Amino acid sequence: MLRSLKARSLGLATLIKSRAKQHSRLRWIRQGDANTNFFHLHANLRRKKHFIRELQSVTGTVLAQQDKEEVAYNFFNSLLGVAPSARPYSLDWAALGYETVDLSDLDAPFTDDEIKKIVQLIPSQRAPGPDGYIGLFYKSCWDIVKGDLVEALHGFYNLRTTKLHLANEANIVLLPKKDNALQLTDFRPISLINSLAKIITKALAERLAPKLGRLVSRSQNAFIKGRCIHDNFLYVQRVIRKLHKSKSPTIFIKLDISKAFDSVNWAYLLEVLEAFGFGRRWRNWISAILASSSSRILINGRLGRKIPHRRGLRQGDPLSPMLFILAIDPLQRIIERAVH
């Protein structure tokens, strides 16, 4: 009896330690550390740092929790939940120099080894989505969940996606970009996505990543394997120094695309994918993922109302940055043509 009680007590202590460590978000500490108070201190510090005491709205400052939830809902619903108007024009893809590329290998069926590799690539201790599962769960319980997960991805491959909206939900966490953040534009919205949807998008992202380098312009370096976004800053600095030294009259244009990520037109994005040469199955996958997505804003530990998405991409989804790079590439080509 005493041995049984001791085993249960140790098991409960392990669960408490794991929960405290997950709340603290300390991923650098070693696995065996059992200093639960240390985790609690860091969790409380994070909670205090990210606590939103007030928000600025069009009518003034709001302090009540319900009012803050309403302000956040209205702000993000206007970004993500409003369908864009019909596009009266399209782009002349031939004039922009787009040639269809053979990307048929992206539509290949998911293999068991590929799915297992994706699970191993998922970070173990990242914050979970609404379902509460983290990467460590799938890695530790692979032999148990393997059959259901493989079946789910095969169902997605065959476009059995009528219930995908149940697994494609996310909680949006607002991280302050600066001290004393008051406006919602002062926060960085990070989507904590359900584990199944994240595994699906991670699988597609792993297939797409090796292709991006030869699809998009060399001027784009962000989110592309083998390129570094800092190269762009260094290039601009050197060009400005050279032109300043030679006293050559020059105009530099800086474009602010801070809201472009949240307002990408899905119809336009699918048109871009078709111009690049993505097959119908891949485009149907992207359509299913986008159309079934929804989010709730998490403010001070409380969830707001659901926002069904009608446009935009998620920050926190492994596939979204790559889709955004593809969507922005026509603008780069238009600028290049204007320069020439």
Side-chain angles (χ1 to χ4, degrees), residues 47-115:
R47 190 177 297 111
K48 182 178 180 180
K49 180 181 178 181
H50 296 157
F51 186 82
I52 301 176
R53 301 185 180 278
E54 57 183 352
L55 283 176
Q56 291 281 357
S57 69
V58 292
T59 57
T61 304
V62 296
L63 301 173
Q65 175 68 24
Q66 186 174 355
D67 295 336
K68 287 183 283 188
E69 292 174 9
E70 189 66 20
V71 169
Y73 172 83
N74 292 334
F75 178 82
F76 284 100
N77 186 58
S78 65
L79 280 180
L80 303 171
V82 177
S85 56
R87 298 171 58 233
Y89 302 104
S90 180
L91 294 177
D92 188 344
W93 301 105
L96 292 179
Y98 280 94
E99 298 179 358
T100 303
V101 181
D102 183 14
L103 300 172
S104 57
D105 55 327
L106 295 177
D107 300 343
F110 299 109
T111 64
D112 292 1
D113 291 340
E114 181 183 11
I115 297 173

Side-chain angles (χ1 to χ4, degrees), residues 209 212 221-225 227 229 261 321-322 324-325:
L212 277 182
N221 289 329
F223 309 115
I224 299 177
K225 190 175 182 179
R227 303 185 193 179
I229 191 173
F261 204 92
M322 300 182 186
F324 182 73
I325 287 297

Side-chain angles (χ1 to χ4, degrees), residues 15 42 46-47 70 88 115 124 136 147 163 190 229 249 269 286 303 306 313:
L15 290 175
H42 275 265
R46 288 185 67 256
R47 190 177 297 111
E70 189 66 20
I115 297 173
S124 298
L136 185 61
K163 302 294 184 181
I190 302 298
I229 191 173
L269 174 60
I286 301 302
L303 285 171
K306 180 185 290 188
L313 300 169

Side-chain angles (χ1 to χ4, degrees), residues 5-25:
L5 290 175
K6 183 177 180 180
R8 294 180 62 183
S9 175
L10 291 174
L12 181 61
T14 302
L15 290 175
I16 293 174
K17 184 196 73 172
S18 299
R19 183 177 175 85
K21 182 179 179 182
Q22 185 175 345
H23 284 175
S24 69
R25 310 305 306 137

Side-chain angles (χ1 to χ4, degrees), residues 80-274:
L80 303 171
V82 177
S85 56
R87 298 171 58 233
Y89 302 104
S90 180
L91 294 177
D92 188 344
W93 301 105
L96 292 179
Y98 280 94
E99 298 179 358
T100 303
V101 181
D102 183 14
L103 300 172
S104 57
D105 55 327
L106 295 177
D107 300 343
F110 299 109
T111 64
D112 292 1
D113 291 340
E114 181 183 11
I115 297 173
K116 184 177 181 179
K117 178 184 176 183
I118 296 303
V119 169
Q120 295 301 320
L121 289 174
I122 296 176
S124 298
Q125 298 288 346
R126 292 292 174 86
D131 59 6
Y133 293 112
I134 58 176
L136 185 61
F137 165 77
Y138 287 94
K139 297 175 184 179
S140 303
C141 304
W142 174 248
D143 292 334
I144 301 173
V145 303
K146 172 185 175 182
D148 291 334
L149 187 59
V150 169
E151 184 178 354
L153 263 75
H154 287 169
F156 174 78
Y157 172 82
N158 292 311
L159 294 173
R160 297 198 298 268
T161 56
T162 54
K163 302 294 184 181
L164 184 59
H165 65 280
L166 300 176
N168 199 14
E169 297 178 342
N171 296 336
I172 295 181
V173 177
L174 304 178
L175 302 181
K177 300 178 184 177
K178 61 180 183 179
D179 295 334
N180 300 320
L182 295 177
Q183 303 280 351
L184 280 167
T185 52
D186 298 334
F187 294 87
R188 181 177 292 105
I190 302 298
S191 295
L192 306 180
I193 307 169
N194 273 334
S195 55
L196 176 59
K198 199 160 191 175
I199 290 173
I200 291 174
T201 55
K202 181 67 174 177
L204 298 183
E206 285 297 310
R207 289 186 174 186
L208 178 57
K211 311 283 187 181
L212 277 182
R214 63 189 183 95
L215 288 177
V216 301
S217 169
R218 287 295 307 175
S219 301
Q220 295 201 69
N221 289 329
F223 309 115
I224 299 177
K225 190 175 182 179
R227 303 185 193 179
C228 180
I229 191 173
H230 297 292
D231 293 344
N232 287 18
F233 296 106
L234 294 174
Y235 177 74
V236 171
Q237 288 176 353
R238 290 170 181 171
V239 170
I240 290 177
R241 288 197 196 102
K242 181 178 180 180
L243 293 172
H244 180 71
K245 188 175 181 180
S246 63
K247 298 183 179 180
S248 301
T250 310
I251 294 178
F252 281 85
I253 302 175
K254 180 181 179 181
L255 301 179
D256 183 2
I257 55 173
S258 58
K259 292 294 183 293
F261 204 92
D262 302 320
S263 57
V264 172
N265 185 310
W266 293 347
Y268 162 76
L269 174 60
L270 294 173
E271 190 177 328
V272 172
L273 294 180
E274 185 177 4

